[in-house]
Amino acid sequence: MARTRKYPQWSISGENEVPYDSENFKRWMVNSQGLSISTAKAYVYHIQNAAAMLFDEDDKLFKNLRDVFESPNYSDIEARISAHEYNINLLYAYIEVIEKYGERILNDSDSHRCRGKKNKATVSTWLTSFKAYTKYINWKIDGELEILGIPVNVDNDPDFFLDLPLSNEFRYYLDNIGAGYEVNSIDTYYSKLKRVYNLLFRRIQGVDIIQLIPFAIECDNPMWEFCAPMTTAIDNEIENPRFNDLSEDDLRRGKRAFLQYLDFLKDYAENPEKYTGNPLKHQKKRNSNNSKRYSFDAYPFTDECL
């Protein structure tokens, strides 16, 4: 039986939108990265806000992205990869501009004030939103590279790591159903899992099967059976290390976390209702940062497995 998907099917985006492919970006954040719909919408708004305040009409970043992903002029593989690299470097440059000059522009601009108070735009929200968008564009590029049989180049900066699917539900599992970890332990535990996923699994897999987990669960496919052999890859890396940005401690703790993630997937697939609307016991403590502004709402759309 197909299960409810949090966001509707992928769509074709408008010609001049900011950011490029914004609807599919929101879907990816909700379905793949575990964010709420209100948070995903807020990220798009903050990118639009930053682009309007920081960049002029001559900045062609979003048009460049559309041209490369959708134009037949980039059918040459080497030219396409080169154009992707240029756009990714441009995204990193935008992030650097926000880090260096964002606060000054906010302080100098009257447009960020309403009745003497600042609006919700901050350098922090701009950075978080642009980094999430950069992760999304990298993910789209990785998908093309996988099709072409070209290894992906994963950035070892944790700010640009992809999250595993159902990450909020996994945190709830650790907090309530599994070993009953405290909030700080959950954060550390999950960070080790995310390091192994990004710096090992995504580097050695021809296809990132982790991101297929939600769709497999919708179709009652026991995805964990395909994921379980990936623990052998961790063991092999411990015995014959290839990546110097993964320590043995990363690998061993990452393996323990991955095995628990597989146990969670089995429980979630069999009892998804346990995870509907259930906050973490330590939710209030965890959400002491800016994320507490956003609700964890559901989205009333369903679709059938293909």
Side-chain angles (χ1 to χ4, degrees):
M1 179 185 297
R3 291 180 170 82
T4 301
R5 187 175 293 173
K6 293 183 181 178
Y7 215 90
Q9 292 275 18
W10 298 72
S11 68
I12 299 175
S13 43
E15 183 176 352
N16 297 311
E17 67 181 337
V18 175
Y20 160 69
D21 206 23
S22 59
E23 281 302 302
N24 291 333
F25 172 46
K26 286 186 283 189
R27 286 171 173 79
W28 175 82
M29 284 189 284
V30 172
N31 291 345
S32 176
Q33 300 298 286
L35 300 181
S36 68
I37 292 171
S38 56
T39 301
K41 290 179 178 179
Y43 279 19
V44 169
Y45 166 78
H46 288 308
I47 291 172
Q48 294 168 344
N49 181 261
M53 294 185 68
L54 290 169
F55 310 115
D56 58 38
E57 295 180 356
D58 293 329
D59 286 295
K60 303 297 183 183
L61 169 64
F62 301 114
K63 180 181 182 302
N64 290 348
L65 289 167
R66 172 177 298 282
D67 287 346
V68 179
F69 280 111
E70 301 183 10
S71 172
N73 296 331
Y74 286 95
S75 56
D76 178 81
I77 293 176
E78 289 187 4
R80 190 178 188 86
I81 292 174
S82 177
H84 279 322
E85 290 177 351
Y86 173 83
N87 287 334
I88 285 297
N89 288 332
L90 196 56
L91 276 167
Y92 286 134
Y94 274 39
I95 290 171
E96 186 175 352
V97 168
I98 293 172
E99 289 174 335
K100 288 184 176 180
Y101 305 110
E103 196 67 45
R104 182 189 307 172
I105 291 175
L106 275 174
N107 289 335
D108 291 346
S109 174
D110 290 332
S111 63
H112 75 291
R113 295 186 177 275
C114 179
R115 296 179 182 177
K117 297 181 179 180
K118 288 186 177 181
N119 68 12
K120 293 182 180 180
T122 66
V123 172
S124 176
T125 57
W126 285 351
L127 285 173
T128 301
S129 302
F130 260 93
K131 287 178 178 180
Y133 186 69
T134 302
K135 287 199 288 186
Y136 170 66
I137 295 300
N138 268 319
W139 175 80
K140 281 177 67 78
I141 294 171
D142 290 347
E144 290 191 356
L145 296 179
E146 289 172 355
I147 293 172
L148 296 171
I150 300 172
V152 300
N153 181 25
V154 180
D155 193 325
N156 63 4
D157 184 343
D159 281 348
F160 297 100
F161 284 173
L162 296 185
D163 274 301
L164 287 81
L166 303 171
S167 58
N168 285 332
E169 290 84 349
F170 179 51
R171 287 176 176 275
Y172 173 78
Y173 174 84
L174 293 176
D175 194 39
N176 295 270
I177 301 170
Y181 290 95
E182 291 295 321
V183 60
N184 291 336
S185 297
I186 291 174
D187 291 340
T188 302
Y189 204 75
Y190 182 68
S191 70
K192 292 298 182 183
L193 174 61
K194 195 157 68 168
R195 281 188 68 80
V196 166
Y197 163 54
N198 281 274
L199 298 181
L200 181 62
F201 294 162
R202 292 185 59 223
R203 284 171 169 172
I204 64 176
Q205 289 176 318
V207 176
D208 186 357
I209 64 173
I210 295 292
Q211 293 299 322
L212 301 177
I213 285 172
F215 304 100
I217 290 177
E218 286 176 10
C219 298
D220 293 323
N221 188 325
M223 194 68 185
W224 51 88
E225 294 182 3
F226 297 95
C227 295
M230 293 162 62
T231 57
T232 303
I234 302 177
D235 292 333
N236 291 339
E237 185 64 20
I238 293 173
E239 293 296 324
N240 300 290
R242 291 164 291 174
F243 307 112
N244 57 16
D245 45 10
L246 275 170
S247 68
E248 183 173 337
D249 180 70
D250 287 333
L251 294 164
R252 293 191 184 279
R253 296 176 69 181
K255 180 180 178 180
R256 288 197 295 270
F258 183 62
L259 289 171
Q260 191 120 41
Y261 184 68
L262 296 182
D263 289 339
F264 150 71
L265 291 177
K266 296 175 189 177
D267 187 73
Y268 179 83
E270 294 171 0
N271 307 285
E273 67 281 354
K274 291 197 303 189
Y275 299 87
T276 303
N278 282 326
L280 295 174
K281 285 187 294 187
H282 305 291
Q283 181 97 16
K284 185 175 181 181
K285 187 175 179 181
R286 281 189 62 242
N287 285 347
S288 59
N289 57 22
N290 288 339
S291 65
K292 67 182 179 182
R293 292 197 305 261
Y294 307 124
S295 63
F296 289 85
D297 44 6
Y299 206 73
F301 285 85
T302 61
D303 47 41
E304 298 298 319
C305 299
L306 299 177

